[in-house]
Amino acid sequence: SVYKNHISNNMIGIVLESIKSNIIEYNLILENGIGIEALTSHGTIVFNNFINNEKHAYFENWFTNTLFLIIPLLLYYKQYWNSNYWDDWNTTNPRPIQGEWMVVFAIGDLHFLFGSFPSAQFDRHPAQEPYDIPSTS
């Protein structure tokens, strides 16, 4: 869990890599290269402020030798984004979060990229105003 933090001035504010059941809430994610990068992770990202990041959020999911399992894995390996404030989004419409699916075929120690496919996840109910997130001391 990452809760009530001010995360600013980093290349990447928060990195989630192969994390199950993460909870990211009530954070100020400010002036980072990438605010949150989620790599083959699953969890909840809610009630955060994304302000002045070069890219607010990005996700990438890697699948190896699981072509017949891709659909169930795509349903599992995703973040639940809801009620975050995005300084570049001023509508109540769902806000897309861009990312990619990477399919890799492995034989022993050899790995071959089968394909990279653009994808999107959505913050279904983006907040219209930033949250008051007090600083922690």
Side-chain angles (χ1 to χ4, degrees):
S1 295
V2 179
Y3 183 72
K4 285 191 176 178
N5 295 283
H6 286 202
I7 300 163
S8 62
N9 299 307
N10 299 289
M11 288 179 56
I12 303 172
I14 299 172
V15 177
L16 305 167
E17 187 170 349
S18 301
I19 304 294
K20 297 177 185 172
S21 302
N22 60 270
I23 300 172
I24 313 295
E25 60 185 0
Y26 294 107
N27 297 287
L28 171 60
I29 303 167
L30 171 71
E31 296 178 353
N32 298 286
I34 299 173
I36 293 180
E37 183 177 66
L39 307 171
T40 313
S41 294
H42 169 78
T44 302
I45 300 172
V46 294
F47 311 123
N48 298 287
N49 293 332
F50 290 88
I51 299 174
N52 292 335
N53 298 290
E54 290 177 34
K55 181 181 279 194
H56 288 314
Y58 173 77
F59 71 92
E60 193 173 276
N61 293 324
W62 287 77
F63 306 104
T64 305
N65 291 358
T66 56
L67 293 178
F68 65 95
L69 291 174
I70 285 180
I71 298 301
L73 288 172
L74 291 177
L75 296 175
Y76 179 75
Y77 283 117
K78 68 181 211 174
Q79 299 298 314
Y80 170 73
W81 306 83
N82 197 32
S83 301
N84 295 289
Y85 173 75
W86 311 87
D87 68 351
D88 62 352
W89 199 255
N90 58 6
T91 175
T92 58
N93 293 333
R95 186 197 186 280
I97 293 98
Q98 300 299 316
E100 293 182 89
W101 302 332
M102 310 292 274
V103 179
V104 176
F105 185 72
I107 302 172
D109 290 337
L110 299 175
H111 292 79
F112 304 95
L113 180 62
F114 179 76
S116 171
F117 306 95
S119 182
Q121 296 175 356
F122 294 90
D123 185 328
R124 300 273 178 215
H125 305 100
Q128 296 304 292
E129 294 182 17
Y131 296 100
D132 181 21
I133 299 172
S135 83
T136 57
S137 346

